[in-house]
Amino acid sequence: KEVLVGTREGVVTIARDGSATDWRVTHRAITDRHISAIIKEPESGLTFAGAFHGSVHVSSDEGKTWQARGTGMTQNNVYSLAAKRVNGRVRVFAGTEPAHLFVSDDLGANWQEISSLRSVPSVPKWNFPAPPHIGHVKHINFDPDIPKTIYASVEVGGLLRSTDAGEHWEEFP
């Protein structure tokens, strides 16, 4: 069994041989980046990694090799990733610091900002206690029964919901 782990020094692949406690490092990649999020998109089989000062990287070989894919992203610190089938296609989402939300409809080759995320009244108050004191999109999730409903949490700022695939957002108090 292998597991990919995001670290301050890249993606580390660890494996075990049957013993639940006998893990060993089998591979390291993107060692010059702080990896904050890793997801496996099941339909394409691609693995996505989000990096601080490094955007998004994609692997088609279980994390052995990686390709940078950040075309269209205006923020370079990727904090969270998620993927969901919306309107018949796979969409990959990337949350950043400062808190912005990006989407890709071509498995990370090109990104567009969902700028409406920043239309809620609390945006000026988004802040993080530790330096550099900038709020970030911590989690991205979806309603399992309603594909167009997206949740995004901003650390520290609030919980937001869109019921129309990101066109409009509302805040939860």
Side-chain angles (χ1 to χ4, degrees):
K1 175 144 185 129
E2 287 190 338
V3 176
L4 299 181
V5 180
T7 74
R8 289 187 317 191
E9 296 174 349
V11 176
V12 175
T13 304
I14 59 173
R16 65 179 182 191
D17 290 327
S19 166
T21 59
D22 199 17
W23 290 93
R24 62 184 178 12
V25 173
T26 60
H27 187 73
R28 293 179 185 273
I30 323 174
T31 56
D32 62 338
R33 299 284 184 240
H34 179 161
I35 304 300
S36 55
I38 298 175
I39 63 164
K40 174 110 178 193
E41 196 291 300
E43 290 189 40
S44 67
L46 296 175
T47 304
F48 292 79
F52 288 126
H53 306 293
S55 198
V56 176
H57 299 260
V58 179
S59 175
S60 60
D61 59 5
E62 305 298 325
K64 304 300 184 265
T65 61
W66 294 85
Q67 175 187 32
R69 289 196 185 171
T71 301
M73 294 192 78
T74 58
Q75 302 297 323
N76 201 26
N77 296 322
V78 176
Y79 206 97
S80 55
L81 294 167
K84 177 79 173 171
R85 180 169 278 282
V86 179
N87 294 330
R89 64 180 181 241
V90 172
R91 297 193 100 184
V92 181
F93 296 80
T96 65
E97 176 186 275
H100 292 261
L101 186 61
F102 293 84
V103 64
S104 174
D105 291 323
D106 55 10
L107 299 172
N110 297 284
W111 296 87
Q112 292 182 336
E113 182 174 359
I114 298 178
S115 58
S116 59
L117 180 85
R118 297 185 63 83
S119 67
V120 297
S122 66
V123 170
K125 297 177 184 172
W126 294 353
N127 187 326
F128 188 69
H133 307 293
I134 300 170
H136 49 264
V137 177
K138 174 86 172 172
H139 297 103
I140 306 161
N141 236 314
F142 311 96
D143 186 308
D145 299 321
I146 308 169
K148 289 186 176 186
T149 298
I150 307 167
Y151 295 92
S153 64
V154 175
E155 185 178 46
V156 173
L159 175 63
L160 309 175
R161 176 177 65 185
S162 172
T163 58
D164 55 11
E167 301 247 347
H168 304 91
W169 293 85
E170 63 181 326
E171 297 176 284
F172 288 92

